[in-house]
Amino acid sequence: ETGVTQSPTHLIKTRGQQVTLRCSSQSGHNTVSWYQQALGQGPQFIFQYYREEENGRGNFPPRFSGLQFPNYSSELNVNALELDDSALYLCASSLPGQGGQYFGPGTRLTVT
Amino acid sequence: GENVEQHPSTLSVQEGDSAVIKCTYSDSASNYFPWYKQELGKGPQLIIDIRSNVGEKKDQRIAVTLNKTAKHFSLHITETQPEDSAVYFCAARGAGTALIFGKGTTLSVSS
């Protein structure tokens, strides 16, 4: 059974740039959630995708957007990067109606 | 919306002792409560979870208890080992799809 994978592991961007992060869900899981984890904090929910549609969104501005593909993989896009966007971005996969969300290793984004 | 508070923020125990981490939640509609362990440089790992129709669940050295009336739940780790050292997060899910996390507890187990 393949776990959740994310790419890249690290990246550095400049304020104002755009970034795309990628996630492959655990085998058989068709629901993907994205979280932002600032240093020393718990993960904060950004949004969830199910059947290629956004299925819930947290308190994040529209410059945070996403996609889910037919193979259940997902992308998180962030436009107009701000310094406060520096964080660990986590992807979690799950099956609908079942509680367990399984996280990938995350992408560490640094905005300078 | 849901709010989850977690205590303590740091916990130091001797190997073999027990460790208890407590969380409270605000949304009475919350029905699912997972616990995650996060090691340095890794994503959170689901270690145990409990649903609102169950009061207690145990898995080897780890147990979780839920008090719906008081809206609090706790993680109990017995016979702690150095490899239990990590940051532990509680979370709650209400009517929506999001998991709302506490701020974490850094557990240090010294041998």
Side-chain angles (χ1 to χ4, degrees):
Chain A
E1 182 179 271
T2 306
V4 178
T5 60
Q6 292 186 243
S7 63
T9 53
H10 299 86
L11 74 166
I12 300 172
K13 290 286 189 177
T14 303
R15 188 172 50 183
Q17 286 187 316
Q18 177 266 342
V19 69
T20 297
L21 311 182
R22 295 178 174 84
C23 169
S24 291
S25 62
Q26 184 167 319
S27 178
H29 286 186
N30 56 11
T31 302
V32 173
S33 304
W34 286 91
Y35 292 80
Q36 180 195 66
Q37 186 177 24
L39 206 59
Q41 301 293 317
Q44 278 198 294
F45 177 72
I46 303 174
F47 43 57
Q48 183 181 87
Y49 277 83
Y50 170 64
R51 288 186 174 179
E52 301 177 51
E53 297 284 337
E54 189 177 287
N55 182 40
R57 188 178 183 94
N59 189 26
F60 280 81
R63 59 190 185 83
F64 286 78
S65 63
L67 283 173
Q68 187 181 30
F69 301 98
N71 66 353
Y72 309 138
S73 66
S74 177
E75 287 183 355
L76 164 65
N77 299 289
V78 187
N79 293 322
L81 284 166
E82 301 177 359
L83 297 179
D84 284 350
D85 296 333
S86 295
L88 181 67
Y89 287 85
L90 295 160
C91 166
S93 73
S94 59
L95 290 169
Q98 298 187 20
Q101 292 189 13
Y102 297 88
F103 285 84
T107 294
R108 172 72 63 187
L109 172 65
T110 302
V111 182
T112 62
Chain B
E2 176 65 280
N3 182 52
V4 176
E5 295 196 0
Q6 182 172 347
H7 299 281
S9 56
T10 60
L11 180 59
S12 296
V13 299
Q14 292 286 322
E15 182 177 2
D17 287 350
S18 294
V20 180
I21 303 170
K22 298 182 179 182
C23 289
T24 60
Y25 61 98
S26 61
D27 187 354
S28 56
S30 289
N31 57 16
Y32 174 70
F33 307 91
W35 286 87
Y36 287 87
K37 174 184 181 182
Q38 188 172 26
E39 297 174 311
L40 202 60
K42 297 185 178 181
Q45 175 194 2
L46 178 65
I47 57 172
I48 195 167
D49 56 12
I50 192 168
R51 295 187 181 275
S52 57
N53 58 348
V54 175
E56 184 173 357
K57 184 177 178 180
K58 189 174 181 181
D59 182 6
Q60 298 183 349
R61 297 187 296 110
I62 295 173
V64 57
T65 59
L66 171 64
N67 183 325
K68 285 174 55 181
T69 303
K71 287 191 274 188
H72 66 70
F73 56 114
S74 300
L75 177 72
H76 304 253
I77 306 174
T78 59
E79 300 173 18
T80 54
Q81 302 167 2
E83 51 265 39
D84 293 329
S85 297
V87 181
Y88 291 80
F89 292 97
C90 63
R93 189 187 67 200
T97 56
L99 288 178
I100 307 301
F101 284 81
K103 292 190 175 182
T105 296
T106 301
L107 174 64
S108 299
V109 181
S110 53
S111 56

